[in-house]
């Protein structure tokens, strides 16, 4: 099991057909997730294309998330977390924390994505909208969105099967000013493992 | 009034404080809309950041759409169209039409964005998720999304006030294989005008 340290990111190469199992070690920890075509980083998992492809805002088991070229890249194949994830919200960034009143630097998922890829010698062409695993953003009355604590329990997990050779990046969301990561607002570590 | 030709795009410079009124000339015509900071095209209107900012998936009068730096760029100030717009779906592209069975080139909003900007000597850093004016994609039971005909009537309009000097690009969506632009599936022209 590889650790995604609390408040930080981690990226990994995943071969076509391999699965990556993302474990919510402590429960209620959101894990922002991105995937890039290993052959061409300009092709990446896209939430706005995936919603069209799957006909839902939250992927269900069997749903293939697609790239900005509308090709399957990651398929959700297991989910013991309660099935609540988010595709609507941008990853947090320095501007998000500034608007929340933070005057000093705050860890954020956007910088974590870039740092995690840099550790592999890679650079993304942009910051795609993430698949926010375990994040609970209900759409109420077909329109209103609200930040709620995750429903995922400790040790619950999702597995994603790679449909092409890809780079998958994770960030254990450092949000500690809103109940994104539970009412205690204490970001924790998460883990992942690669399965053949 | 400036025409957005049927199936094509058009971009315009809009000064801070100016309003751009987008008219659904024939009714039921979706208009994909993008905005870029005139000083730095890498900053642009972002749907995933805007949903966080406005707490809704469909902007209402008074809502400021924000950029990928979370700064207001366009505020919805008038809307006679019925208030149904979409922020969830990617703009159509060649891959979308190929998947729908099109074997030859099909006009598409993504290419229209790039062509409209090119006509001003500009190039976007990427294809941001668009604000799909007049597009009717309800979120059913908090999850399922469905393509429905627009509710907008001929001559109805929305007005967007620029909160910074920006480039606004439009595409009169050429979708004629699904009822995105009404049950007749006949894309039409739309218009816009700049108001001080």
């Amino acid at each position: 099991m590889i650790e995604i340290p609390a408040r930080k990111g981690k990226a990994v190469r995943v071969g076509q057909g391999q699965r990556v199992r993302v474990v919510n070690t402590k429960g209620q920890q959101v894990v922002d997730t991105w995937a890039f075509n290993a052959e061409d980083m300009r092709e990446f998992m896209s939430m706005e294309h995936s919603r069209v492809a799957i006909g839902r805002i939250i992927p269900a088991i069997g749903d293939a998330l697609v790239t900005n070229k509308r090709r399957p890249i990651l398929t959700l194949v297991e989910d013991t977390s309660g099935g609540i994830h988010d595709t609507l919200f941008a990853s947090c960034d320095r501007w998000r924390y500034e608007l929340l009143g933070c005057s000093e630097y705050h860890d954020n998922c956007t910088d974590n994505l870039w740092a995690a890829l840099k550790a592999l010698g890679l650079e993304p062409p942009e910051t795609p909208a993430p698949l926010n695993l375990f994040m609970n953003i209900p759409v109420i009355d077909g329109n209103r969105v609200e930040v709620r604590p995750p429903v995922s329990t400790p040790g619950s997990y999702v597995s994603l099967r790679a449909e092409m050779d890809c780079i998958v990046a994770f960030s254990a969301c450092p949000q500690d000013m809103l109940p994104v990561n539970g009412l205690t607002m204490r970001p924790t570590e998460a883990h992942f493992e690669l399965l053949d």
Side-chain angles (χ1 to χ4, degrees), chain A:
Chain A
M1 296 273 270
I2 300 162
E3 188 185 27
I4 311 164
R7 313 175 72 94
K8 295 295 177 185
K10 189 86 182 167
V12 64
R13 291 180 180 274
V14 185
Q16 185 178 12
Q18 279 191 309
R19 283 169 297 144
V20 56
R21 181 178 284 168
V22 188
V23 182
N24 202 325
T25 312
K26 299 283 177 66
Q28 298 208 310
Q29 175 60 48
V30 167
V31 179
D32 286 35
T33 301
W34 296 266
F36 299 83
N37 177 350
E39 304 296 315
D40 178 4
M41 296 282 287
R42 291 169 303 179
E43 182 177 9
F44 48 78
M45 182 169 70
S46 164
M47 294 304 105
E48 58 262 34
H49 294 82
S50 293
R51 287 185 290 262
V52 178
I54 69 179
R56 276 189 271 271
I57 59 169
I58 304 174
I61 290 174
D63 280 342
L65 288 311
V66 303
T67 68
N68 52 339
K69 291 186 172 180
R70 302 190 192 257
R71 302 196 304 152
I73 184 164
L74 292 178
T75 299
L76 182 62
V77 291
E78 286 186 304
D79 189 350
T80 70
S81 74
I84 301 298
H85 309 287
D86 171 66
T87 69
L88 301 177
F89 274 25
S91 48
C92 59
D93 49 38
R94 48 173 285 209
W95 301 288
R96 176 73 165 139
Y97 292 105
E98 284 172 14
L99 287 170
L100 288 170
C102 224
S103 55
E104 301 198 344
Y105 180 78
H106 193 292
D107 289 317
N108 63 79
C109 289
T110 299
D111 287 354
N112 286 348
L113 164 68
W114 287 70
L117 291 176
K118 195 174 181 187
L120 298 183
L122 298 168
E123 187 171 300
E126 60 181 87
T127 302
L131 171 61
N132 295 311
L133 291 175
F134 316 115
M135 191 172 185
N136 187 2
I137 308 289
V139 176
I140 300 156
D141 297 333
N143 195 9
R144 196 158 54 86
V145 287
E146 205 171 88
V147 173
R148 293 206 185 148
V151 302
S152 46
T153 51
S156 64
Y157 57 84
V158 303
S159 297
L160 301 159
R161 186 181 64 223
E163 304 300 345
M164 63 176 75
D165 291 345
C166 58
I167 317 293
V168 178
F170 302 107
S171 171
C173 179
Q175 176 57 267
D176 53 9
M177 304 176 78
L178 292 173
V180 165
N181 299 304
L183 293 172
T184 59
M185 300 197 267
R186 289 207 194 111
T188 59
E189 73 281 16
H191 290 82
F192 68 87
E193 59 182 327
L194 288 185
L195 305 165
D196 285 315

